[in-house]
Amino acid sequence: MKKVLILCTGNSCRSIIAEALINAKLDGICADSSGVKASGRVNPNAKKLLEDKGIWKDDYHSKTIDKVIENEYDLVVTVCDHANETCPMFPKAVKVIHVGFEDPDGKGFEAFIKTYEEIEELLLPKIVEILNV
């Protein structure tokens, strides 16, 4: 099983959506997510969207990077520019890529749908290609 960490700033929207999509749709890959400055909450629109899609899990939650920094990952993906600029060094050598998405936080539900679709179309194939699964 390949392990991926999705990293953003607040860990409330984009990274949670990406974590859920990877875990639901990519065989042989499991994902975690965290934030460099985690908000401590999952955005209600992100949660509702994932529930509507049938891929929400109650163990998805906003967490800081220190909760996952010691885990071993095959790939770290930053999904916002701030996280890309402040991505910490991981103790074990790991490949890091950046695929940025616009933050839907504070916008209408349609923005969350757009982010979900962009992550599914752009990020998932890239992860499969990089990890050769």
Side-chain angles (χ1 to χ4, degrees):
M1 183 70 82
K2 302 277 186 168
K3 292 201 59 157
V4 176
L5 174 65
I6 308 297
L7 184 63
C8 72
T9 303
N11 193 213
S12 67
C13 301
R14 293 167 286 188
S15 53
I16 297 277
I17 291 170
E19 175 185 13
L21 271 166
I22 292 163
N23 288 334
K25 300 197 179 259
L26 298 184
D27 291 333
I29 302 174
C30 66
D32 293 329
S33 69
S34 73
V36 290
K37 291 182 181 170
S39 67
R41 64 172 188 87
V42 175
N43 183 291
N45 279 330
K47 182 178 179 185
K48 179 185 182 326
L49 175 62
L50 296 175
E51 286 172 339
D52 290 353
K53 298 285 186 180
I55 61 172
W56 171 258
K57 292 182 184 171
D58 286 335
D59 57 340
Y60 292 146
H61 64 285
S62 178
K63 56 200 157 302
T64 54
I65 191 76
D66 62 318
K67 302 281 191 249
V68 297
I69 194 87
E70 295 296 327
N71 295 351
E72 289 194 33
Y73 293 101
D74 298 289
L75 178 65
V76 174
V77 181
T78 58
V79 293
C80 74
D81 291 337
H82 181 262
N84 184 41
E85 293 161 12
T86 59
C87 184
M89 292 301 295
F90 282 77
K92 296 155 186 78
V94 65
K95 183 171 183 71
V96 178
I97 64 167
H98 175 67
V99 184
F101 299 97
E102 192 174 325
D103 190 356
D105 191 46
K107 299 184 175 104
F109 192 68
E110 306 75 34
F112 288 81
I113 294 169
K114 182 176 182 245
T115 299
Y116 177 99
E117 290 170 350
E118 287 178 352
I119 289 171
E120 187 171 26
E121 291 167 16
L122 300 173
L123 182 58
L124 270 55
K126 189 173 284 264
I127 289 171
V128 168
E129 177 187 327
I130 290 169
L131 296 178
N132 295 315
V133 289

